């Protein structure tokens, strides 16, 4: 993930846990330990207009990857896809 310059996350619905991989510090300005760890915390970094894209987990088939793409807010307030 780091080699391609993207950020990926895995959401475990049973535990309500987000696990992040990739260059969160370089791309968003947040260390991995500062990234949201629960679904309710995710709106803090998701662009408000993309919230519908980011929270489609309920539409995903169980036990299959769900791919979403959305803008995030960096620590400095700017946006990134």
């Amino acid at each position: 993930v780091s080699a391609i310059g993207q950020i990926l996350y895995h959401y475990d619905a049973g535990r309500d846990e987000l696990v992040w991989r990739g260059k969160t510090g370089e791309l968003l300005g947040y260390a991995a330990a500062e990234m949201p760890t629960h679904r309710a915390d995710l709106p803090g970094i998701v662009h408000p207009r993309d919230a519908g894209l980011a929270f489609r987990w309920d539409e995903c088939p169980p036990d299959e990857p769900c791919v979403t793409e959305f803008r995030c807010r960096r620590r400095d307030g700017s946006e990134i896809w």
Side-chain angles (χ1 to χ4, degrees):
V1 174
S2 293
I4 59 174
Q6 294 184 355
I7 299 171
L8 299 176
Y9 67 88
H10 170 79
Y11 178 64
D12 181 332
R15 294 174 28 180
D16 184 33
E17 181 179 69
L18 289 160
V19 178
W20 298 87
R21 300 282 185 260
K23 298 181 177 183
T24 59
E26 183 177 320
L27 296 173
L28 297 177
Y30 297 101
E34 297 175 294
M35 295 298 291
T37 56
H38 302 285
R39 185 176 181 170
D41 300 329
L42 196 55
I45 65 163
V46 175
H47 189 284
R49 288 188 220 139
D50 292 343
L53 300 172
F55 305 116
R56 290 186 169 171
W57 297 320
D58 298 335
E59 300 173 15
C60 299
D63 301 322
E64 290 187 27
C66 184
V67 177
T68 59
E69 185 174 330
F70 48 88
R71 289 174 285 187
C72 288
R73 287 185 289 217
R74 292 178 170 149
R75 181 185 290 277
D76 67 6
S78 63
E79 301 171 2
I80 187 172
W81 274 99

